[in-house]
């Protein structure tokens, strides 16, 4: 699986960097120039950095690559987006510039500036640039529209030098617009990703909810992604913000970590300070199965911190005389490690007349939950797309991108997550901590 992932990263990286070279280097520099060689080398090194970052971030020794590698990945992505968006206006501008160029009939014939032993004005127009005596061959400088051609002018233009000047101007203008737009977007995204999560209040009506449970408040947080770009302060802030809401129940819906307990145990320490009247609960996400030692060591670490993992399990939340069933299933990626979701085990023995809330990392698990009579599923995984326009791609895999939706009539709430994966960038999908209030 890792080899396949890295092969995909390599293929996509090469393709994107070839396109970026075409638009950012070839279209903005002259062939053979020093600037073209330098920019080509720099772009090649950045491409290697992306692949090495993905490979190295899976081991502690490669954590130091995370910041430069992931930051370039974000800039690279938005350069690609803006350059693709500019392709049509660029093509239109180029056609207009070609139409406004002098026609071949309007361009003076090549005339030698000087000729040895001959009169420049007497040279025949079709004489190939030779003087009247024929002895000035190669000694006269031919003026073509005021600028010498450098070998990349388009055929059919009246003036090769002017064509190159127009092409360079258009290429550099396009690159400048895309560059400024990409850097500005990434800067905004970094500020959003590293800022405070948004508190999203959500009221969900469950017809089977015991009226005595009216107003039960469940904090939902997902995709914290403790890893090489976060620190203890990341978890401290999330815990502080959750505690300030005074929830009755805290739920962590997967993708807590991107590393082992040895690497990230200290970053997780603040989670032991979560406060909730009826406890804190966790279910695995796909990234728990990507860590070197698997999810079990994190389940044990969370137990030490006072957080119970629901491993295809159900618990009863008793509140003001009423009872709510809270269940959790493992992530679908656990199936590759013989640790996948087991709905039969999680829902076994429940009272069908009692409201059931299910914790499942991926929204795609909602179809199975709906078939089994679950009343509400709480999920994460999507990050809300994290970086526009990925939000347009997520629906190809998941039934709900973010917010409150429905699958087969069952309400599903998908939180955007409180952290980030890969680049520390969020555009159009700010980090989120959700406060779900249940109503009958």
């Amino acid at each position: 699986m890792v080899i396949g992932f890295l092969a995909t990263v390599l293929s996509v990286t090469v393709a994107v960097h070839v396109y970026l070279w075409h638009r950012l280097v070839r279209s903005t520099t002259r062939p053979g120039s020093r600037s073209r060689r330098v920019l080509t080398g720099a772009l090649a090194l950045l491409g290697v950095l992306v692949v090495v970052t993905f490979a190295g971030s899976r081991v502690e020794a490669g954590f130091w690559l995370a910041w430069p590698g992931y930051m370039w990945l974000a800039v690279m992505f938005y350069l690609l987006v803006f350059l693709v968006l500019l392709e049509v206006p660029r093509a239109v501008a180029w056609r207009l510039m070609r139409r406004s160029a002098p026609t071949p009939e309007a361009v003076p014939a090549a005339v030698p500036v000087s000729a040895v032993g001959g009169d420049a004005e007497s040279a025949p127009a079709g004489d190939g640039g030779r003087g009247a005596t024929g002895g000035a061959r190669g000694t006269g400088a031919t003026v073509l529209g005021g600028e010498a051609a450098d070998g990349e002018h388009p055929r059919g233009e009246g003036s090769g030098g002017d064509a190159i000047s127009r092409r360079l101007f258009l290429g550099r203008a396009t690159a400048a617009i895309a560059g400024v737009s990409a850097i500005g977007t990434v800067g905004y995204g970094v500020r959003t990703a590293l800022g405070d999560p948004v508190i999203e209040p959500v009221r969900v009506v469950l017809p089977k909810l015991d009226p005595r449970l009216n107003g039960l408040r469940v904090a939902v947080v997902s995709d914290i992604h403790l890893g090489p770009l976060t620190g203890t302060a990341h978890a401290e802030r999330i815990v502080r913000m959750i505690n300030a809401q005074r929830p009755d129940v805290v739920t962590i819906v997967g993708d807590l970590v991107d590393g082992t307990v040895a690497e990230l145990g200290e970053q997780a320490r603040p989670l032991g300070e979560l406060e909730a009247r009826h406890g804190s609960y966790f279910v695995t996400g796909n990234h728990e199965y990507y860590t070197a030692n698997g999810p079990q060591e994190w389940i044990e670490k969370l137990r030490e911190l006072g957080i119970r993992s629901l491993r295809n399990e159900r618990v009863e939340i008793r509140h003001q005389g009423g009872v709510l069933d809270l269940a959790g299933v493992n992530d679908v990626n656990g199936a590759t490690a013989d640790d996948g979701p087991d709905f039969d085990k999680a829902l076994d023995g429940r009272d069908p007349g009692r409201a059931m809330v299910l914790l499942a990392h991926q929204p795609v698990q909602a179809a199975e939950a709906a078939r089994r009579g679950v009343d509400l599923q709480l999920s994460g995984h999507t990050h809300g797309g994290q970086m526009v326009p990925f939000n347009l791609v997520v629906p190809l895999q998941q039934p709900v991108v973010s917010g409150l939706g429905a699958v087969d009539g069952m309400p599903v709430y998908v939180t955007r997550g409180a952290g980030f994966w890969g680049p520390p960038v969020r555009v159009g999908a700010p980090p989120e901590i959700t406060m779900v209030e249940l109503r009958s």
Side-chain angles (χ1 to χ4, degrees), residues 25-397:
V25 180
R26 183 179 183 274
S27 296
T28 63
T29 59
R30 296 181 182 276
S33 65
R34 183 173 183 272
S35 58
R36 176 173 289 195
R37 293 194 299 271
V38 170
L39 290 174
T40 298
L43 196 60
L45 288 175
L46 289 170
V48 172
L49 176 62
V50 171
V51 178
V52 173
T53 297
F54 273 103
S57 63
R58 293 176 175 270
V59 296
E60 187 175 9
F63 276 19
W64 64 274
L65 289 169
W67 271 105
Y70 283 129
M71 287 305 298
W72 167 243
L73 181 65
V75 173
M76 177 197 80
F77 172 71
Y78 278 111
L79 280 172
L80 175 65
V81 169
F82 285 112
L83 285 169
V84 169
L85 290 176
L86 288 169
E87 284 291 350
V88 171
R90 182 184 185 281
V92 172
W94 178 240
R95 287 184 64 87
L96 293 175
M97 293 173 75
R98 290 184 64 181
R99 285 182 179 180
S100 64
T103 61
E105 292 79 9
V107 178
V111 179
V113 173
S114 63
V116 178
D119 185 353
E121 292 183 356
S122 66
D127 198 23
R130 291 186 294 271
T133 64
R137 187 173 187 177
T139 63
T142 300
V143 178
L144 292 175
E147 183 177 341
D150 67 1
E152 277 200 347
H153 63 279
R155 293 181 180 178
E157 293 292 337
S159 169
D162 281 350
I164 292 165
S165 295
R166 290 191 297 272
R167 174 173 286 181
L168 286 175
F169 171 78
L170 185 58
R172 289 168 182 175
T174 303
I177 293 171
V180 170
S181 300
I183 292 173
T185 302
V186 170
Y188 165 80
V190 169
R191 181 178 179 181
T192 302
L194 299 182
D196 288 352
V198 176
I199 300 294
E200 293 281 7
V202 179
R203 179 174 291 187
V204 181
V205 176
L206 302 181
K208 290 193 298 185
L209 187 70
D210 189 319
R212 292 173 292 183
L213 295 174
N214 256 332
L216 184 75
R217 302 176 74 243
V218 181
V220 184
V221 63
S222 180
D223 302 278
I224 296 174
H225 285 289
L226 299 177
L229 299 185
T230 61
T232 304
H234 179 54
E236 288 176 341
R237 175 173 51 196
I238 291 170
V239 169
R240 182 179 67 252
M241 294 182 69
I242 290 176
N243 288 345
Q245 298 299 311
R246 303 177 66 84
D248 297 304
V249 181
V250 173
T251 60
I252 304 173
V253 197
D255 279 8
L256 173 64
V257 296
D258 283 312
T260 65
V261 170
E263 295 162 350
L264 304 173
E266 180 59 23
Q267 290 192 31
R269 177 185 50 76
L271 297 175
E273 299 174 13
L274 283 169
E275 299 172 359
R277 182 185 306 182
H278 301 299
S280 300
Y281 300 90
F282 168 78
V283 292
T284 57
N286 51 306
H287 280 250
E288 273 72 52
Y289 294 96
Y290 299 157
T291 62
N293 299 329
Q296 188 58 42
E297 65 168 3
W298 277 108
I299 291 165
E300 295 170 0
K301 179 64 176 179
L302 291 175
R303 184 184 300 117
E304 295 173 6
L305 296 174
I307 300 172
R308 177 173 175 177
S309 296
L310 296 178
R311 310 266 295 151
N312 299 318
E313 297 175 75
R314 176 179 60 88
V315 295
E316 296 179 350
I317 304 297
R318 299 183 177 274
H319 180 75
Q320 299 180 159
V323 181
L324 172 74
D325 282 330
L326 179 68
V329 291
N330 298 347
D331 183 67
V332 293
N333 281 66
T336 60
D338 197 25
D339 192 39
D342 188 335
F343 284 85
D344 289 333
K345 182 179 178 183
L347 305 181
D348 183 50
R350 63 177 289 240
D351 180 352
R354 209 154 59 193
M356 162 69 75
V357 175
L358 178 72
L359 308 181
H361 179 61
Q362 298 195 38
V364 74
Q365 295 172 277
E368 181 68 19
R371 281 195 293 271
R372 294 171 179 271
V374 171
D375 298 283
L376 170 66
Q377 178 171 309
L378 301 175
S379 297
H381 183 65
T382 68
H383 296 207
Q386 184 166 324
M387 295 164 58
V388 170
F390 279 125
N391 59 307
L392 304 178
V393 179
V394 174
L396 298 177
Q397 186 193 34

Side-chain angles (χ1 to χ4, degrees), residues 408-422:
D408 296 337
M410 179 191 71
V412 179
Y413 189 86
V414 179
T415 180
R416 296 187 299 267
F420 51 84
W421 180 78

